Amino acid sequence: MRNLWEVLARRRDYRLVLSAGLVSLTGDWILRIGLAFHVYALTGSTLASGGLLLASFLPLVLLGSLAGVFVDRWDRRRTMVITNLLHALVLLPLLLVRDGDTLWLIYLVILAQSCLQQFFRPAEQSLIPALVEAPQLVTANSLNSQANDISRLVGAGVGGVLAAAGGLPLLALVDAATYLIAMTFLLGVRHRPERVKVERVGGLRVAVRGIRGEWVEGIRVCLSGPALRLVFVFGLVTGVGEGVMSTLFAPFVSAELGGDGTAYGLITSSQAVGGIAGGLIAAAVGSRFSATKLWGFGAVAFGLIDLALFLYPLFWKGLAPAFVCMVSVGVPGAFMVAGLMTVIQRLTDDASRGRVFGALFATEGLAVLVGIVGAGALGDVVGIIPMLVIQGLGFSVGGVVVLSRLRILTPAPAEPEPAAVV
């Protein structure tokens, strides 16, 4: 609890970054839910709605790793400020969407926003270790996880209301406002990195060669040791499971639980409730435990609860256990994410951290796409429940492997990175 108080009360820069993330993520969820509603209302096509998912995932897979090169080159705070400003600007074309003939503007905006996000997320995760002391990393990452769940819970509810009340123009203006507010928070961050300026000379060919060299070096860092290789394998395995889950959970609620659309929405959003509670608990007490153990035990518990969720319809009919499982799974989920992010931050140095996070996010995105395609192709053949069991097993087995590799996942003590106390 002491670390929680110190991070929130005494780490002004981190508090501003956390607030910026909470505001902009809430706007993201407002737009995401509202856009899904609006696109389907315009077209009546589930294929058109699925195009939104494709437009958001492609930049993650194709650009994520390369974006990390620039995150390591640039000032991370400035990168976050500029991407928030650009986010607000690229939303403006949504004001011109009137009917199905201008639907392409929506896809263009989502594509542009996803490209910008590939720079923002690695910059944020790479900046956090510089804003808090090393023992406070678990607390800081737990609060970030909690902010994600709060924004999801609030934004998902507000998005549907705004879509019905003011349509796409209102959604665009509200989301743009959240990005400008977030940018204002980030402008108040006083931390400035002490970076060695490197003179870059030569033409375009030399510049491209330099970027390619830094990208290759980043990939080499990601694969340089058993610890980071395990992180990437975990991301691959669990990413496939998440893709299966995102594709088949709605059919699971309908076909296996007998629920309707309202039940699906309530069950899905209930995980955020557990995530908020879990994030608070992890922020309060997580620093007392090893980050690797938080990651491993959190993953095992997350997977076991998911297995209980997917298998109970074989023995029991009703929706109540689904709500209990979805709320419960949010707690180990928060521990798992906080532990994993902290382990990655401790395994990497500041000079390469952006490339590692960029490559990891791209790997997870590719794995999610594989899971989505696999679930769509095999769901009817293998069955909904057997496919979903893959997701639960992936997290549980992955957590067991993490716990069996505690020694390699614990870096040797090093000098802590400077944190500004303001």
Side-chain angles (χ1 to χ4, degrees):
M1 188 64 73
R2 178 183 176 184
N3 267 351
L4 177 60
W5 167 253
E6 288 183 349
V7 168
L8 287 177
R10 299 184 181 180
R11 298 293 174 187
R12 174 184 176 275
D13 282 352
Y14 171 75
R15 191 168 64 244
L16 288 171
V17 171
L18 180 68
S19 300
L22 177 61
V23 172
S24 62
L25 281 171
T26 300
D28 284 345
W29 276 102
I30 289 173
L31 184 68
R32 186 180 308 176
I33 299 299
L35 275 183
F37 176 90
H38 192 79
V39 168
Y40 188 76
L42 278 178
T43 64
S45 168
T46 56
L47 182 62
S49 299
L52 293 175
L53 185 64
L54 182 62
S56 64
F57 263 101
L58 277 179
L60 173 59
V61 176
L62 301 178
L63 182 62
S65 180
L66 182 61
V69 174
F70 296 96
V71 170
D72 284 336
R73 282 184 166 205
W74 299 337
D75 178 287
R76 276 118 189 209
R77 168 192 162 275
R78 187 177 300 136
T79 299
M80 295 165 68
V81 168
I82 293 174
T83 52
N84 271 283
L85 176 61
L86 293 176
H87 266 298
L89 293 176
V90 300
L91 285 166
L92 296 180
L94 293 181
L95 300 177
L96 303 176
V97 177
R98 293 289 182 267
D99 50 36
D101 292 336
T102 51
L103 193 65
W104 62 274
L105 286 171
I106 295 179
Y107 295 115
L108 186 63
V109 167
I110 295 300
L111 192 67
Q113 284 206 305
S114 183
C115 288
L116 291 170
Q117 196 67 11
Q118 307 322 308
F119 294 89
F120 183 89
R121 288 181 66 203
E124 181 185 39
Q125 291 297 332
S126 300
L127 179 63
I128 288 174
L131 304 182
V132 300
E133 298 291 346
Q136 299 170 337
L137 265 179
V138 170
T139 300
N141 287 316
S142 300
L143 290 171
N144 270 20
S145 174
Q146 189 182 44
N148 288 336
D149 287 309
I150 292 174
S151 63
R152 175 182 176 182
L153 195 62
V154 174
V158 174
V161 174
L162 292 180
L168 200 52
L170 182 58
L171 288 170
L173 291 174
V174 169
D175 194 24
T178 64
Y179 280 116
L180 294 177
I181 294 170
M183 184 184 71
T184 303
F185 281 127
L186 292 170
L187 286 171
V189 174
R190 296 171 182 166
H191 171 76
R192 298 294 185 273
E194 295 182 3
R195 292 184 178 273
V196 177
K197 290 187 177 181
V198 179
E199 292 293 332
R200 306 184 188 277
V201 296
L204 178 61
R205 182 177 299 180
V206 174
V208 170
R209 190 181 302 129
I211 292 170
R212 183 177 59 188
E214 291 175 39
W215 177 76
V216 171
E217 176 62 24
I219 298 299
R220 187 177 295 117
V221 170
C222 295
L223 303 175
S224 61
L228 279 177
R229 286 199 295 268
L230 179 56
V231 167
F232 275 80
V233 171
F234 183 88
L236 274 170
V237 173
T238 56
V240 171
E242 287 297 290
V244 172
M245 174 81 166
S246 65
T247 304
L248 296 181
F249 192 65
F252 171 75
V253 172
S254 176
E256 306 296 340
L257 302 185
D260 56 13
T262 300
Y264 169 71
L266 291 174
I267 292 172
T268 302
S269 61
S270 63
Q271 182 177 349
V273 176
I276 293 169
L280 183 60
I281 296 170
V285 303
S287 58
R288 301 179 186 177
F289 306 98
S290 159
T292 308
K293 290 182 178 179
L294 287 177
W295 170 21
F297 283 115
V300 170
F302 187 93
L304 290 176
I305 294 173
D306 270 2
L307 286 173
L309 168 64
F310 302 142
L311 294 175
Y312 91 81
L314 299 176
F315 312 99
W316 181 279
K317 299 299 180 183
L319 295 174
F323 283 101
V324 173
C325 287
M326 288 298 280
V327 172
S328 301
V329 81
V331 178
F335 277 75
M336 175 181 65
V337 172
L340 174 58
M341 291 298 104
T342 303
V343 167
I344 298 170
Q345 289 161 347
R346 289 175 176 171
L347 287 173
T348 55
D349 58 28
D350 184 70
S352 61
R353 193 169 287 138
R355 281 169 286 176
V356 171
F357 273 113
L360 177 62
F361 294 149
T363 300
E364 291 176 340
L366 178 61
V368 170
L369 283 179
V370 170
I372 291 172
V373 173
L378 300 176
D380 291 333
V381 178
V382 178
I384 294 173
I385 290 179
M387 287 297 296
L388 286 172
V389 164
I390 293 174
Q391 193 256 14
L393 287 176
F395 277 99
S396 294
V397 174
V400 170
V401 173
V402 168
L403 293 173
S404 70
R405 299 290 189 270
L406 290 178
R407 182 174 297 179
I408 69 169
L409 288 166
T410 304
E415 290 295 323
E417 296 183 25
V421 181
V422 290

